[in-house]
Amino acid sequence: MSNLDLNFHKSSLNTPGRLQQITTVPPALFRLCHLVQLHDREAFSRIDELWSSKHILYVITSGQARLISSNGQLMVNTGSAVVRQAGTLLQHESKRGSLSPVQGIAVAFDFADNEQKLWPFGHPVPITSRLIAELISELVLSNSKRNESGPFKPHMLFYQLLDTLRDHAARLAHEDHSWLDIVIAHIHEKVTHSFTREQLAREANVSPEHFSREFKKHTGLTFVEYVTRLRIRIAQEQLLFANPTLQELAQLTGYRDTFYLSRKFKQTVGCAPTLYRKTPKKIVSLTYNYTASLLALGHIPHMGAVAEWMEAKIIEYGPKPFKQYYEHELINRMDLIADSHPDVILGYAPHSGMDDLRQIAPTILMPFEELDWQEQFIHLGRITGLEAKARTLLERYDTLQQEANRTLDQMMGVRGSAVCIFMIGESGAYIYGHGWGRASHILYHSLGFVPPARMEKDGQLLTGYIHVPLTEIHLYAADHIFIDYARESSEQNAVDKLFAQESWNTLGAVREGRLYEIDADMFYGFDPISVIEQLQHIMHKLTSHLSMH
């Protein structure tokens, strides 16, 4: 302590009278209670049931869900967050459509023990915020490593989250959609039509000069540059995803003159449309399965979403280093993607940041539910210029599939039913239908097994997957059960409970040894390398059992 500090300290202690300038700190409004990872859309309703008396913040790290609140329908996409007050519900809409698998984080919190019960966040509204994504990621990490981060950091990050949410709520409450937001939305919606700066300025009720100034300030581009880039991006995406003629391309992009389109394309991209597909491309993959599929093709992505189940594939099929992130890190990190200067961005459709991604590079987003894994892989082969290799890999799988069926025809004849069960702890397990990976498509499409009768009876097979409570897992049993046991010691209790149930132990598959252990990591991907491994693993389990009987 310096002499000045020491003198000040002494004089302040010796000052007679009352202490001055004491301000009362406002009481804490909320306290952090629970964190849980969301693995599917069903988890929304289950969390609402379990924590109906608590406030919930949902942060979507991948996928899309339709939710219904008392104030209407909400659509939450990758990168968005929504908070709901205790005592209210966010029900998941059961309507099937172009949705991709939802994953995310749910944060449960409660009012603190004080008399003030203020709710500063308004009605549930989807919020897209890079800061929220970063804070939730750090909160989950610090909570999982409490010995390292200490007891205070999770709560500090939680209050930063609340502060960010409040700022967004306050801004939304006092902010009308600006004329510029409406203009940009109109441009994206009507990009194939003819429109001018003057026309849009007149519709927005601003002068053309003001229009130009504000447009450049907001987008970084002039009106003409923005529209041109958007149209050329669409042309690039069409050339990568399909094989349109120049005339078709002109119609799709709003250019009626093919010569003008070719000139603008070359000015923007650096080569003619006819040569574009043949040029090497730096690819950013926003999803785990597309990164794995690129590695299977021998195309090392420039940047890719990676997960622990991919580690062996990265070593074996991706010897060259590339920039690796978790999916949730790429949610709103447009800066990471932009700084990598990609030629193509790949991901699932829909994506809340599609318009921003397109400003960086051509963006191909494929609807997960509408395309099976083989169709998606063929498209990835076309985009990378490796379609022949993609088809060769799929032909290899088809050959193995045919051999597997001949073997099963000889050893068992009629297939019967089969199911894949993935344990997740005390709350139960996930069971997958025929179109969402996790090897169920191998059982039902490739090998001719049928799903458990309960799934078909309830119409749940079409939803892709379901969450089943521990006490109901036996209802979804089949002649052959493939099960991933919990690997964490904290989850082992759930497995012990399941195996102790009489309803489980009386199942035919359990009594007769048709219960096969699998590893969730091996059964996660739907790239050809993963699917081939899954097929071989399933066949090894089945033939080993059948050869003993």
Side-chain angles (χ1 to χ4, degrees):
M1 187 178 290
S2 69
N3 289 336
L4 181 62
D5 292 335
L6 185 60
N7 291 335
F8 177 81
H9 183 63
K10 286 179 179 178
S11 64
S12 64
L13 289 175
N14 295 328
T15 302
R18 295 166 57 185
L19 294 174
Q20 301 296 313
Q21 296 181 331
I22 295 177
T23 57
T24 302
V25 176
L29 288 178
F30 302 104
R31 62 185 173 204
L32 176 62
C33 299
H34 310 292
L35 294 175
V36 66
Q37 290 196 332
L38 305 172
H39 293 283
D40 71 355
R41 299 187 308 231
E42 299 291 330
F44 281 101
S45 57
R46 192 157 298 277
I47 285 173
D48 264 346
E49 292 170 13
L50 291 173
W51 296 337
S52 60
S53 63
K54 299 192 184 306
H55 315 301
I56 307 291
L57 166 64
Y58 298 100
V59 180
I60 309 303
T61 56
S62 68
Q64 182 188 62
R66 299 185 190 95
L67 305 177
I68 302 172
S69 75
S70 58
N71 296 98
Q73 189 183 77
L74 308 174
M75 188 76 79
V76 287
N77 300 298
T78 300
S80 62
V82 62
V83 61
R84 69 118 173 104
Q85 191 172 5
T88 63
L89 291 177
L90 279 178
Q91 297 175 315
H92 187 271
E93 186 181 86
S94 59
K95 179 183 175 183
R96 181 176 168 84
S98 300
L99 298 175
S100 51
V102 163
Q103 295 184 29
I105 306 294
V107 181
F109 58 103
D110 205 350
F111 281 121
D113 295 326
N114 65 67
E115 294 181 0
Q116 284 189 302
K117 302 293 184 184
L118 300 177
W119 181 251
F121 308 116
H123 300 303
V125 176
I127 297 167
T128 301
S129 166
R130 171 183 158 187
L131 180 56
I132 289 176
E134 291 175 349
L135 287 171
I136 199 72
S137 178
E138 197 174 349
L139 173 57
V140 171
L141 184 64
S142 68
N143 195 58
S144 65
K145 297 183 177 180
R146 277 171 286 185
N147 291 338
E148 299 174 25
S149 60
F152 305 117
K153 190 166 185 181
H155 299 278
M156 178 193 77
L157 293 167
F158 168 63
Y159 265 89
Q160 284 184 263
L161 262 174
L162 295 187
D163 190 52
T164 304
L165 287 169
R166 181 193 168 280
D167 284 348
H168 276 276
R171 190 157 58 247
L172 286 170
H174 299 93
E175 182 182 81
D176 291 328
H177 292 295
S178 73
W179 62 267
L180 196 50
D181 292 332
I182 297 171
V183 163
I184 291 174
H186 181 83
I187 290 171
H188 283 268
E189 184 182 349
K190 304 291 186 182
V191 68
T192 59
H193 295 69
S194 176
F195 46 76
T196 65
R197 180 195 67 159
E198 286 71 21
Q199 177 189 343
L200 294 178
R202 186 166 57 252
E203 290 177 3
N205 198 29
V206 297
S207 70
E209 294 74 23
H210 182 68
F211 180 100
S212 294
R213 282 194 303 272
E214 292 301 308
F215 196 96
K216 178 71 179 289
K217 188 190 302 181
H218 185 75
T219 66
L221 300 171
T222 67
F223 167 72
V224 172
E225 289 170 341
Y226 189 93
V227 174
T228 299
R229 178 181 289 186
L230 177 59
R231 286 174 168 168
I232 297 304
R233 288 283 188 261
I234 293 171
Q236 290 174 282
E237 292 159 10
Q238 289 294 325
L239 287 167
L240 290 169
F241 200 71
N243 192 25
T245 64
L246 271 179
Q247 188 60 49
E248 290 170 335
L249 209 56
Q251 292 293 324
L252 288 167
T253 56
Y255 291 122
R256 300 295 178 257
D257 187 331
T258 57
F259 295 104
Y260 186 72
L261 166 63
S262 295
R263 181 157 60 87
K264 283 295 180 184
F265 191 100
K266 191 169 184 178
Q267 286 174 355
T268 305
V269 181
C271 68
T274 51
L275 299 175
Y276 174 65
R277 289 182 66 178
K278 299 175 184 178
T279 58
K281 295 173 182 66
K282 293 194 303 184
I283 294 179
V284 167
S285 167
L286 304 180
T287 70
Y288 300 142
N289 274 304
Y290 289 171
T291 302
S293 295
L294 292 172
L295 294 175
L297 284 168
H299 186 107
I300 310 303
H302 184 63
M303 176 189 290
V306 297
E308 291 179 4
W309 64 268
M310 297 170 56
E311 287 177 358
K313 291 181 175 59
I314 292 170
I315 294 170
E316 184 176 356
Y317 298 100
K320 295 180 183 177
F322 63 96
K323 298 173 184 176
Q324 301 174 21
Y325 297 93
Y326 291 115
E327 280 185 352
H328 69 264
E329 290 181 288
L330 295 175
I331 297 171
N332 275 330
R333 292 299 305 274
M334 296 294 174
D335 59 324
L336 284 177
I337 299 169
D339 290 347
S340 69
H341 302 291
D343 298 313
V344 183
I345 300 169
L346 300 175
Y348 292 142
H351 192 294
S352 59
M354 175 63 176
D355 294 345
D356 292 329
L357 290 171
R358 256 184 177 165
Q359 289 300 311
I360 298 170
T363 302
I364 306 293
L365 302 178
M366 289 186 261
F368 186 89
E369 276 193 344
E370 294 177 13
L371 297 174
D372 69 25
W373 71 274
Q374 297 193 39
E375 289 177 292
Q376 292 177 52
F377 190 63
I378 289 295
H379 283 305
L380 293 176
R382 189 172 296 132
I383 290 164
T384 56
L386 296 167
E387 185 175 349
K389 186 169 184 178
R391 293 189 182 279
T392 298
L393 280 168
L394 294 180
E395 286 169 6
R396 181 188 170 203
Y397 174 75
D398 189 52
T399 299
L400 292 172
Q401 170 185 282
Q402 291 178 32
E403 291 173 357
N405 276 292
R406 284 195 291 269
T407 299
L408 293 180
D409 285 343
Q410 294 172 0
M411 298 185 76
M412 71 187 310
V414 177
R415 302 292 190 266
S417 60
V419 67
C420 284
I421 299 174
F422 295 89
M423 293 294 295
I424 58 166
E426 294 288 346
S427 65
Y430 282 102
I431 297 176
Y432 285 74
H434 55 61
W436 283 65
R438 296 300 181 98
S440 293
H441 55 295
I442 297 175
L443 292 176
Y444 307 140
H445 289 174
S446 299
L447 299 180
F449 289 93
V450 296
R454 178 62 177 262
M455 289 185 74
E456 294 188 291
K457 177 184 175 184
D458 294 350
Q460 291 166 320
L461 188 63
L462 292 178
T463 64
Y465 50 82
I466 54 172
H467 177 275
V468 181
L470 207 62
T471 54
E472 297 180 14
I473 290 177
H474 68 280
L475 299 175
Y476 295 84
D479 298 327
H480 298 270
I481 300 175
F482 297 84
I483 185 168
D484 166 60
Y485 300 141
R487 298 296 191 272
E488 300 294 330
S489 57
S490 60
E491 297 174 344
Q492 187 60 46
N493 186 45
V495 178
D496 294 340
K497 280 185 180 179
L498 175 65
F499 289 170
Q501 292 176 9
E502 182 181 356
S503 57
W504 176 262
N505 286 296
T506 55
L507 294 175
V510 176
R511 292 199 318 269
E512 298 170 23
R514 288 181 265 110
L515 179 68
Y516 316 109
E517 182 177 359
I518 57 176
D519 185 340
D521 282 352
M522 176 186 286
F523 278 68
Y524 190 96
F526 62 78
D527 60 282
I529 304 302
S530 293
V531 174
I532 286 171
E533 288 177 354
Q534 293 160 16
L535 174 63
Q536 292 172 332
H537 193 70
I538 287 171
M539 286 302 297
H540 173 72
K541 295 288 186 181
L542 289 171
T543 55
S544 296
H545 168 76
L546 292 169
S547 63
M548 295 169 61
H549 293 76

